[in-house]
Amino acid sequence: MATTNTNPSLWPLVFLSWALATVSTLGAIFLGEVMGLTPCVLCWYQRICMFPLVLILTAGLFPLDIKVVRYALPLAVIGLGIAVFHLLVAEGVIAESMTPCTQGVPCSQEQIEWFGFLTIPMLSVAAFAAITALLTVTHFKASK
């Protein structure tokens, strides 16, 4: 990765990653604090990966510092892995007995289903996948 690359054409990619992380964070807070939905253990693990992305990506935007990718991308990839695992548990592909959800809200419970198919684990997978893709593109464009 280029150490001093501040190519302004990369700013929108980092900004869009930040915007997705911010919307996801605000959505998680809204679902928990306003709607009163208690998150399961896997949801908490995903929040641990998503919430810091807002601050980390903000630090990389002003002024643009492409090195932020090396700090944000690992969190996004780990979050994506947890989100995919959670989606597989929620869909019944992985048995819930193989998860850390032994107390509290079951990880397989669908608390919300919008449009007849869109669930919280699906939204999480989409957000982490998009952030991962944007940060990966940023990395490869910066290293040219």
Side-chain angles (χ1 to χ4, degrees):
M1 181 179 312
T3 57
T4 59
N5 190 339
T6 57
N7 182 347
S9 69
L10 299 175
W11 194 87
L13 296 171
V14 177
F15 177 78
L16 192 52
S17 299
W18 169 84
L20 285 167
T22 300
V23 168
S24 298
T25 297
L26 292 174
I29 292 170
F30 177 80
L31 290 172
E33 299 303 320
V34 175
M35 293 186 67
L37 299 176
T38 304
C40 70
V41 174
L42 290 175
C43 288
W44 277 114
Y45 292 162
Q46 290 166 71
R47 288 175 178 207
I48 290 168
C49 293
M50 185 64 76
F51 289 9
L53 285 174
V54 176
L55 300 175
I56 292 168
L57 292 168
T58 300
L61 281 171
F62 305 106
L64 179 62
D65 183 2
I66 299 306
K67 291 186 280 185
V68 73
V69 172
R70 72 173 65 165
Y71 306 109
L73 190 56
L75 279 173
V77 170
I78 292 167
L80 178 59
I82 296 168
V84 168
F85 182 78
H86 189 187
L87 180 61
L88 294 174
V89 169
E91 295 296 324
V93 175
I94 296 176
E96 190 167 18
S97 62
M98 296 179 61
T99 69
C101 299
T102 56
Q103 295 178 338
V105 178
C107 292
S108 61
Q109 179 182 349
E110 300 292 348
Q111 294 183 337
I112 289 181
E113 188 173 289
W114 291 318
F115 310 113
F117 71 95
L118 195 56
T119 63
I120 293 172
M122 283 182 188
L123 290 171
S124 184
V125 168
F128 277 117
I131 293 168
T132 299
L134 287 165
L135 292 175
T136 302
V137 169
T138 303
H139 169 73
F140 285 113
K141 282 190 171 192
S143 55
K144 286 186 179 182

